[in-house]
Amino acid sequence: RRDVRVIAAWAAADASRFATLGEDSLLRLWDGSSLRVERSLPAGGTKFLLFDAAGRRFLHVQERDRAAVFDAAGGRELVRIPMVPGCSLSFAPDGRTVASAQDGERVALFDVDAGREARSWSCPNVVRAGFTRSGAALFANDRDGRLKVWRVAAEPPAAPWSDEPMAYADSTPDEQTVVTLSGTRAQVWEAAAGRVHASLPHEEEVIAALLSPDGARVLTGSRDHTARVWDAATGAPVTPPLRHFD
């Protein structure tokens, strides 16, 4: 046996499994508890790997834009996903569905258990798509960064929520309230109306935002070295800036 240099690594959110890519072109899947290798797979030009939330499945993206979902325990391929350069992929929270921005023209859902594409929506110029935290809704960004959010059971809105670039950050379990990031502020939206009802400013770029479980508070973090807690309904600060220093 010889030591092999690790050149990349990925982990499940719950740390139940992780994967390493070695210079020997093998992808090793590890049990997070025993720290033992469960199996080794040919890397095949691995570019990216993503576990589902429970670490039971993983997306494997390879050179020449090949992508597939595998069962982590058995190593069995479950579904192949067509890709084009820049295509984004995202697991639903339960790991049973994958959302993908396809061909710059549509958002597609792939049913992992059935091994096939299940549904798609027209989304011109789409470059990024994913599930909201509950998995009941989808978000998508076009080439200009403009955002749409819609329920999986519905159709996407005809127009983006705004002409300015923004990113999805978080939403309540009922998908009635959505928080987005846009430059130096986070914004709280009434999802059904596509309307902002609170703007949460920082001095520099806001890089993260999280809603409390009841949707009453928003926590934001910014490159201005502060975190803040806000009233989600009014946008009023609940705390002074919580300063962080190097």
Side-chain angles (χ1 to χ4, degrees), residues 7 10 15 29 37-38 63 71 92 121 144 202 205 217 237-238 245:
I7 56 177
W10 304 268
L29 300 179
V37 176
E38 294 182 306
E63 291 177 350
D71 171 65
W121 297 264
D144 295 320
H202 277 263
E205 181 187 9
R217 299 284 187 267
V238 176
F245 300 97

Side-chain angles (χ1 to χ4, degrees), residues 38 42 71 75 81 85 99 145 197 211 226:
E38 294 182 306
D71 171 65
I81 300 175
H197 70 246
L211 279 157
T226 69

Side-chain angles (χ1 to χ4, degrees), residues 181-186 200-208 220-228 230 243-244:
L181 309 179
S182 182
T184 59
R185 68 187 187 278
L200 317 176
H202 277 263
E203 293 181 5
E204 296 186 29
E205 181 187 9
V206 180
I207 56 175
T220 58
S222 168
R223 295 191 188 280
D224 63 12
H225 300 280
T226 69
R228 300 199 74 169
W230 312 80
R243 298 200 173 274
H244 293 64

Side-chain angles (χ1 to χ4, degrees), residues 77-195:
E77 183 179 299
L78 301 174
V79 62
R80 290 192 179 188
I81 300 175
M83 289 192 67
V84 294
C87 170
S88 72
L89 297 166
S90 173
F91 270 115
D94 63 7
R96 299 178 62 183
T97 312
V98 172
S100 174
Q102 291 280 313
D103 306 320
E105 292 298 330
R106 64 192 184 99
V107 172
L109 296 187
F110 291 84
D111 185 318
V112 176
D113 295 320
R116 59 178 175 81
E117 183 176 319
R119 187 175 182 185
S120 69
W121 297 264
S122 174
C123 280
N125 301 313
V126 65
V127 294
R128 181 171 180 256
F131 287 93
T132 59
R133 180 158 56 143
S134 73
L138 293 158
F139 65 87
N141 288 93
D142 67 13
R143 290 191 181 96
D144 295 320
R146 298 178 302 178
L147 179 72
K148 293 182 178 182
V149 181
W150 71 96
R151 289 183 175 273
V152 173
E155 293 296 319
W161 277 4
S162 171
D163 284 335
E164 66 177 307
M166 64 180 64
Y168 168 84
D170 200 10
S171 50
T172 52
D174 62 7
E175 303 296 344
Q176 294 298 309
T177 303
V178 173
V179 177
T180 63
L181 309 179
S182 182
T184 59
R185 68 187 187 278
Q187 293 177 302
V188 184
W189 294 76
E190 297 175 28
R195 181 175 62 237

